[in-house]
Amino acid sequence: MTKLNDRHIAILANAANRTDGCVLPLPEGIQVKGGALTAMLRALERRGLVERSADDAWTITEAGRAAVPGAAATEAGESEDENAAPQVATADSNADDGDSAPKPLFRPGTRQAQLLDLLQRDEGADIDEMVQFIGWQPHSVRAVLTGFRKRGIEVTRSKEGNGVSVYRATLPASTDAMAD
């Protein structure tokens, strides 16, 4: 089954908690109007999570009830615990696993990871070397360096004896163990 975003889960949970299973009106705090609302309802319909009746009433299906975390498909569409707040998807799929392993800064093998490895060498790298290594334009390389800084990576620039700027990168203390 495809993943649902926070808005979809909240809408389905709200409908699952209603005795009639109606999707509309939307729960408080969710404002979707016009074409965006129609598009979202049709997307949920294509997934088989809601259905549209002849009188344009949108209701949740049994598959929709099953897709809502914490809500069981029961008689009259009531969840097992009506006072429970709907669970929402998080960006970190392991958020509740108790696994506190930090996420790596970049996926291994990506160009950004390769560029970071290049900058972590003792001799560092100049813009021309990075452009040749990665195959990007100089302005793109500089933009990635700015992105590194925003992620907490210390990027330093120093002028060498020949007047060429050499860049070096140092990972923040919390991610040094990940880089090994």
Side-chain angles (χ1 to χ4, degrees):
M1 185 166 133
T2 57
K3 289 189 176 185
L4 299 173
N5 65 30
D6 295 347
R7 184 176 287 178
H8 292 152
I9 292 172
I11 290 170
L12 290 175
N14 189 48
N17 287 329
R18 291 185 176 152
T19 56
D20 58 357
C22 284
V23 174
L24 299 175
L26 296 177
E28 289 183 31
I30 296 183
Q31 295 180 353
V32 182
K33 296 180 181 177
L37 176 61
T38 303
M40 183 177 54
L41 291 173
R42 287 185 180 159
L44 291 172
E45 182 181 36
R46 282 191 303 272
R47 295 177 182 176
L49 304 175
V50 299
E51 59 189 5
R52 185 178 186 182
S53 66
D55 60 344
D56 286 337
W58 293 90
T59 56
I60 190 168
T61 63
E62 290 304 314
R65 291 181 194 283
V68 177
T74 60
E75 294 180 61
E78 296 178 25
S79 66
E80 292 175 2
D81 184 9
E82 294 203 359
N83 295 329
Q87 296 178 355
V88 294
T90 60
D92 183 8
S93 60
N94 296 327
D96 295 326
D97 292 347
D99 183 18
S100 61
K103 283 177 53 176
L105 288 171
F106 305 104
R107 287 177 294 161
T110 61
R111 289 184 182 180
Q112 289 181 341
Q114 293 171 356
L115 188 60
L116 184 59
D117 290 341
L118 186 69
L119 292 174
Q120 286 182 306
R121 302 181 308 176
D122 289 336
E123 63 270 15
D126 62 24
I127 290 289
D128 291 336
E129 188 177 1
M130 290 184 269
V131 165
Q132 281 184 338
F133 183 76
I134 296 296
W136 289 339
Q137 296 292 321
H139 66 275
S140 298
V141 171
R142 287 187 198 95
V144 170
L145 295 177
T146 300
F148 285 174
R149 289 182 183 108
K150 288 181 179 181
R151 288 181 178 227
I153 299 169
E154 183 180 336
V155 178
T156 58
R157 184 182 82 168
S158 61
K159 291 266 188 180
E160 296 296 313
N162 57 2
V164 176
S165 294
V166 174
Y167 296 84
R168 292 178 180 83
T170 307
L171 291 177
S174 63
T175 59
D176 282 339
M178 291 187 306
D180 295 336

